[in-house]
Amino acid sequence: MKEDTQEELEPSYSLTIAVEDFKQGVQLYQNKDLKAAYSLIRKALLKFQLEHQSKLILESTFLIANILFQLEKFNPAIKYFQELKIIALDLQHKKYLELSSFMLAFCQYKTRNYKKAFEIFESDLSDPIEYVNKLQLFTFRARTSSKLGYRDQSIQFFKEAIEICQKEQNGIQNEGQKAQLYNEIGLELYYKILDEIKASGLSYLNDLNQNSQAFSLSIEYFQKAIEIWEKHGETKKFITTIQIIGNIYGYLKNLKKQIEYYNIALQKSEEINEFEQYIKISRNLIRILTNLKNSNELISLLQRVISVLNQNGVSDIIAIAEFHLKLGKTLLSLKQINNALYEFITALNIYERLKNPISEHKTTLNLIIQIYRESEDIEKLSYYSQQLSILEERFNENTSPSDDWLVVIKDFWFITETGIEIFSYTPDVHINPTLFGGFISALQSLSEEISQKRMESFVIGNQRYSFYFEEGKPIFIIGRASIEELDTRVTKVLSVLYKRFFNEYGKFLVKFSGNVSPFQNFGEVMKTIDFNLV
């Protein structure tokens, strides 16, 4: 299908034939044979243009634009919708003027030109409308505002959409739409608080109980969504939203509720064999129980998680080793030396199967060595010490970042010692609310370690978030990398980025008062860094 090429019409191709082709094209369009419909209607359009048949031109242009949109050829569709708008203006055709404006905004949204989409919605579709589906209009105005970070506008548009949806006759489709809208407005309220946390720093987390109205309202909308999803068996969506509610209770320091919701999500994940989610939720629960120093409950959880993963043949051996290591550490803290040693050796056997060494491998060996040193088992102490030396040689084999440092670091954030984000590099514009929420929650629970510069890294999903500090300096950097990436390479990249950032902007950090604008050109500065010269 070549939508941009012109074709010659045969001399015998009359207006009557063109009208018949148009009618046949409409039939094909209604039968979802879009490519065949496009060819016939476009050929007819050429004849209508030669004959100055304005109304037929209008109808044909509208259909061609819609066909291109449905085929996800959004840029060519934009061209036809722009033509449709011009024709509709000339003919004073209100229906097609409204529809062309809405579809232009929709196409811009689909091509991620959110600012342009927002401008069209604001300039052309703010007055009372007659022909555009109002539920779709308010939904996509809300989503466009959300993409631009206009939280209050997005929330208001979602409220308008929900009001329309609630007036419509109930049915499975309507129920699904309501659940989606409840979830999206809940997310907007959730993101609104997260935006404030990012702007105000970790100190803001201490005041959430006094500023929790948005979170409470967010939970209210999420509860409405999960009630519908559970009723209709939408378990994956249910699990995601339940985790977000758990995150919120964590921010509000209601750990009992947080654990309750994470456990619901954990159970549902096991029921539908969603073990990637199961592992992520398990890590969240482990972090909370560790902070609470609830060793018995933590041991019970770890044993259950390991059993479930093994029974279901889950292939994420790094996670399984991680859970054995954590179980060993917990048992060791309770002086259950033999049981702890069993878990450490189980973890070690898994780590030895990995192509590249990771920090947990070294940690495991050091703990085994500690046990044998204290028990004065010289033979085993010597053996595992030798294994540690071999492992350290492997770590040192490949410590230099390559030119393509993005292979090592996926995202990074510069944060002040009070927790205010001053620059971030996050090329993936899509934010997973459960992962991002877990990231903020981890920062909250680890705030003491961060403030004392004792934090090295934490794991969310299959990603490791690594910290780099320098003594006497008021900022730190957090980088996200694959859990399988060499720690030495990650630290090297973070240290280079940190030093360059501080050299460029140290003067602005001396009396930092919250203005982050001086730091925003680091995106250009970092392109000039040659990691091979470091």
Side-chain angles (χ1 to χ4, degrees):
M1 193 181 92
K2 299 179 180 179
E3 65 274 355
D4 292 324
T5 59
Q6 293 295 324
E7 60 183 275
E8 293 289 333
L9 295 178
E10 305 90 340
S12 60
Y13 191 70
S14 66
L15 181 59
T16 303
I17 297 173
V19 170
E20 289 303 315
D21 279 351
F22 173 76
K23 290 178 180 178
Q24 188 180 348
V26 170
Q27 187 66 47
L28 290 166
Y29 175 78
Q30 292 170 342
N31 292 333
K32 306 297 183 185
D33 190 348
L34 299 179
K35 292 184 179 180
Y38 174 87
S39 298
L40 280 174
I41 296 172
R42 186 172 174 279
K43 184 178 180 181
L45 173 60
L46 295 176
K47 185 63 176 179
F48 298 154
Q49 288 170 336
L50 288 173
E51 299 290 340
H52 306 289
Q53 297 290 321
S54 55
K55 290 185 178 180
L56 288 170
I57 292 170
L58 186 75
E59 297 284 348
S60 301
T61 304
F62 174 73
L63 285 169
I64 290 172
N66 273 283
I67 289 169
L68 291 168
F69 178 85
Q70 291 179 49
L71 292 170
E72 299 187 356
K73 295 179 179 292
F74 300 119
N75 287 319
I78 287 171
K79 184 186 77 171
Y80 277 97
F81 280 124
Q82 286 171 337
E83 290 180 10
L84 179 66
K85 186 176 180 180
I86 292 169
I87 300 166
L89 274 169
D90 187 51
L91 297 176
Q92 290 296 295
H93 200 297
K94 184 171 174 56
K95 175 182 175 181
Y96 283 121
L97 190 57
E98 275 188 15
L99 292 173
S100 61
S101 295
F102 175 73
M103 293 304 297
L104 275 171
F106 202 174
C107 286
Q108 298 291 356
Y109 177 89
K110 287 290 191 178
T111 56
R112 298 186 177 184
N113 192 344
Y114 304 121
K115 188 174 181 181
K116 184 64 178 176
F118 183 84
E119 289 171 357
I120 295 170
F121 281 129
E122 288 291 297
S123 62
D124 296 350
L125 292 160
S126 293
D127 294 329
I129 58 170
E130 296 178 36
Y131 301 101
V132 173
N133 181 296
K134 291 184 180 180
L135 178 57
Q136 288 187 342
L137 174 63
F138 285 115
T139 299
F140 279 97
R141 288 194 75 176
R143 289 174 181 169
T144 303
S145 299
S146 173
K147 294 293 186 181
L148 294 169
Y150 303 158
R151 303 297 177 205
D152 290 334
Q153 285 170 284
S154 179
I155 289 166
Q156 184 55 45
F157 290 136
F158 275 127
K159 286 180 178 178
E160 299 273 7
I162 287 169
E163 186 177 343
I164 293 167
C165 202
Q166 287 173 335
K167 291 176 182 177
E168 294 184 355
Q169 188 174 358
N170 281 339
I172 293 177
Q173 184 176 356
N174 178 260
E175 288 274 284
Q177 285 178 321
K178 277 196 289 188
Q180 187 61 36
L181 290 170
Y182 289 144
N183 186 64
E184 290 189 64
I185 194 172
L187 283 172
E188 281 307 296
L189 290 158
Y190 175 70
Y191 287 142
K192 184 177 180 180
I193 296 293
L194 295 187
D195 289 345
E196 291 174 7
I197 292 171
K198 289 170 66 179
S200 302
L202 293 173
S203 60
Y204 184 81
L205 291 165
N206 299 323
D207 301 322
L208 283 179
N209 285 322
Q210 288 74 44
N211 299 277
S212 61
Q213 185 177 359
F215 269 163
S216 298
L217 192 55
S218 179
I219 290 173
E220 184 180 322
Y221 281 116
F222 285 142
Q223 291 284 12
K224 289 179 180 180
I226 62 175
E227 183 180 336
I228 295 171
W229 282 333
E230 187 170 33
K231 176 182 173 183
H232 294 289
E234 295 278 3
T235 309
K236 289 184 180 180
K237 293 177 181 178
F238 177 93
I239 291 167
T240 298
T241 304
I242 283 286
Q243 287 181 75
I244 296 171
I245 296 174
N247 289 342
I248 292 172
Y249 280 120
Y251 305 145
L252 298 175
K253 300 180 182 177
N254 188 338
L255 299 184
K256 184 178 179 180
K257 278 286 187 182
Q258 185 180 27
I259 291 170
E260 176 189 332
Y261 276 89
Y262 282 163
N263 271 319
I264 293 170
L266 191 71
Q267 180 184 339
K268 290 289 186 181
S269 298
E270 181 183 353
E271 286 175 6
I272 64 168
N273 297 326
E274 277 286 327
F275 292 110
E276 185 177 347
Q277 286 280 17
Y278 185 88
I279 289 167
K280 291 173 185 175
I281 300 161
S282 298
R283 285 179 170 132
N284 284 334
L285 280 166
I286 289 164
R287 187 184 72 247
I288 296 165
L289 294 174
T290 300
N291 290 336
L292 290 173
K293 296 181 172 57
N294 192 336
S295 298
N296 290 330
E297 196 169 336
L298 180 57
I299 289 170
S300 177
L301 172 65
L302 285 162
Q303 289 173 334
R304 176 163 63 95
V305 168
I306 291 168
S307 174
V308 166
L309 296 179
N310 286 331
Q311 286 175 11
N312 288 277
V314 176
S315 60
D316 189 343
I317 61 172
I318 291 179
I320 294 170
E322 172 194 336
F323 296 141
H324 279 291
L325 174 57
K326 182 63 181 178
L327 179 55
K329 286 180 178 179
T330 309
L331 292 165
L332 187 62
S333 71
L334 298 176
K335 308 299 182 185
Q336 297 184 31
I337 308 301
N338 290 334
N339 290 337
L341 184 60
Y342 173 82
E343 298 300 332
F344 292 147
I345 290 175
T346 302
L348 180 64
N349 290 335
I350 297 173
Y351 288 133
E352 286 175 345
R353 292 157 56 187
L354 299 178
K355 181 180 179 181
N356 293 318
I358 61 176
S359 62
E360 286 81 1
H361 189 167
K362 188 186 293 187
T363 299
T364 305
L365 273 171
N366 278 318
L367 288 165
I368 293 171
I369 289 167
Q370 174 189 324
I371 289 173
Y372 285 127
R373 181 180 289 117
E374 291 176 359
S375 65
E376 298 182 350
D377 189 328
I378 304 301
E379 182 180 349
K380 289 181 178 175
L381 175 62
S382 174
Y383 172 78
Y384 285 107
S385 296
Q386 185 180 9
Q387 294 302 306
L388 180 60
S389 297
I390 294 169
L391 178 65
E392 287 175 338
E393 287 179 12
R394 290 180 64 195
F395 270 107
N396 293 328
E397 285 173 0
N398 189 13
T399 61
S400 299
S402 63
D403 286 330
D404 187 7
W405 57 271
L406 292 177
V407 171
V408 180
I409 297 290
K410 309 300 182 187
D411 311 290
F412 65 84
W413 298 262
F414 278 101
I415 299 177
T416 69
E417 57 191 353
T418 58
I420 298 174
E421 178 190 299
I422 56 176
F423 179 83
S424 65
Y425 175 80
T426 53
D428 184 359
V429 296
H430 174 71
I431 299 175
N432 181 315
T434 58
L435 287 183
F436 186 71
F439 172 60
I440 296 291
S441 181
L443 286 182
Q444 178 186 18
S445 63
L446 299 168
S447 58
E448 182 181 348
E449 289 89 340
I450 292 170
S451 65
Q452 296 178 12
K453 300 186 178 179
R454 292 188 284 108
M455 193 66 221
E456 293 183 357
S457 68
F458 60 85
V459 173
I460 299 176
N462 59 357
Q463 305 293 307
R464 187 191 307 280
Y465 292 80
S466 300
F467 291 72
Y468 182 84
F469 306 85
E470 286 193 2
E471 197 62 39
K473 293 179 181 176
I475 58 170
F476 60 92
I477 185 174
I478 307 174
R480 179 177 71 89
S482 166
I483 196 172
E484 298 184 52
E485 183 58 71
L486 283 168
D487 289 0
T488 46
R489 281 161 55 88
V490 172
T491 301
K492 190 70 173 177
V493 171
L494 292 179
S495 70
V496 173
L497 290 168
Y498 185 99
K499 293 177 190 298
R500 182 61 181 272
F501 188 90
F502 198 82
N503 287 341
E504 292 284 337
Y505 308 111
K507 60 184 178 182
F508 298 108
L509 294 165
V510 177
K511 295 182 179 179
F512 177 68
S513 60
N515 178 18
V516 300
S517 57
F519 314 111
Q520 299 314 300
N521 72 327
F522 188 66
E524 294 301 315
V525 172
M526 69 186 189
K527 294 176 183 177
T528 67
I529 299 174
D530 184 351
F531 289 91
N532 293 317
L533 297 178
V534 178

